Amino acid sequence: MSAGTRAKLVGWLLLGLVRLLTGAQARWWGCPPKAEQRIYFANHQSHADLVMIWAALPAELRGITRPIAAKDYWTKTPLRQWITTAVFNAVYVDRERTEGQDPLAPLVQALDAGDSIILFPEGTRGHAEEPQPFKAGLYNLAQRFPQVVLVPAWIHNVQRVMPKGEVVPVPILCSVTFGAPMQLQADETRQDFLARARGAVIALRDV
């Protein structure tokens, strides 16, 4: 069995497992699932968020969409690294970057190549009901790639699938609600844009 065939098989098995545990329902409330270059940005409460959005996308979008993954966590074991590389085709970001290193460089490279990406603008997992303030990365990417469609998303319930301290996942119905696309306005400051983007994500919580 070739490496590519093995990755596809594991991908389908993982997709089936995630959908069995969570349902992985996609709710396209503000836009249709369209094969165009996008930055999906969402709330972040679990390491499973990456898997959840990936599983919620239809197959034609999964193939062109790369999730952003924290390098220190997702390369910690050979299995995690293989899954995120071979199955998810993830873009790794280094949270322990050295001085002078551009943390957005891997994301810029992916977008330059025409890929869509899944981004968590909080930068780290939160535990409150609402997302933490968004970091500047989303604003910087919106400035550099004005042609890329920005789509907010809210992930429901995924933090309850693997409660803190638990080893065995708990079956919980989860969903991802995708909202209306937004753009960086010509005269919009970084602070205003990030607040508006965060508000667009929060607004999907009760849709």
Side-chain angles (χ1 to χ4, degrees), residues 132-149:
Q132 302 171 83
F134 284 2
K135 294 188 175 180
L138 180 63
Y139 172 80
N140 293 334
L141 292 175
Q143 272 194 320
R144 182 157 181 169
F145 297 94
Q147 79 283 4
V148 176
V149 180

Side-chain angles (χ1 to χ4, degrees), residues 172-192:
I172 294 287
L173 187 62
C174 302
S175 64
V176 181
T177 300
F178 297 93
M182 60 177 290
Q183 288 182 312
L184 174 64
Q185 302 300 318
D187 58 349
E188 195 168 22
T189 67
R190 179 176 66 181
Q191 183 178 358
D192 288 345

Side-chain angles (χ1 to χ4, degrees), residues 2-154:
S2 69
T5 301
R6 188 181 305 113
K8 286 182 180 179
L9 177 59
V10 172
W12 281 111
L13 291 174
L14 183 60
L15 180 64
L17 177 62
V18 172
R19 289 183 172 173
L20 177 65
L21 288 172
T22 70
Q25 297 179 0
R27 303 170 61 201
W28 297 94
W29 180 77
C31 63
K34 185 178 180 181
E36 62 185 0
Q37 192 177 24
R38 292 176 169 181
I39 296 175
Y40 300 95
F41 59 98
N43 57 313
H44 191 27
Q45 292 192 316
S46 167
H47 287 305
D49 292 338
L50 177 157
V51 183
M52 181 65 192
I53 291 192
W54 174 83
L57 293 173
E60 62 271 21
L61 297 190
R62 283 199 306 273
I64 61 173
T65 305
R66 304 178 65 186
I68 307 305
K71 186 176 181 179
D72 58 305
Y73 177 82
W74 287 103
T75 62
K76 196 169 186 178
T77 68
L79 178 60
R80 286 182 195 172
Q81 182 168 3
W82 183 82
I83 288 176
T84 48
T85 301
V87 178
F88 298 149
N89 192 24
V91 179
Y92 291 123
V93 291
D94 193 348
R95 295 188 292 189
E96 301 175 355
R97 59 187 181 273
T98 57
E99 186 177 354
Q101 180 183 6
D102 180 6
L104 293 181
L107 286 67
V108 169
Q109 185 177 10
L111 291 168
D112 275 336
D115 298 322
S116 294
I117 61 173
I118 300 169
L119 180 66
F120 302 104
E122 295 169 78
T124 186
R125 290 179 298 160
H127 301 287
E129 290 187 5
E130 294 188 353
Q132 302 171 83
F134 284 2
K135 294 188 175 180
L138 180 63
Y139 172 80
N140 293 334
L141 292 175
Q143 272 194 320
R144 182 157 181 169
F145 297 94
Q147 79 283 4
V148 176
V149 180
L150 308 176
V151 178
W154 181 269

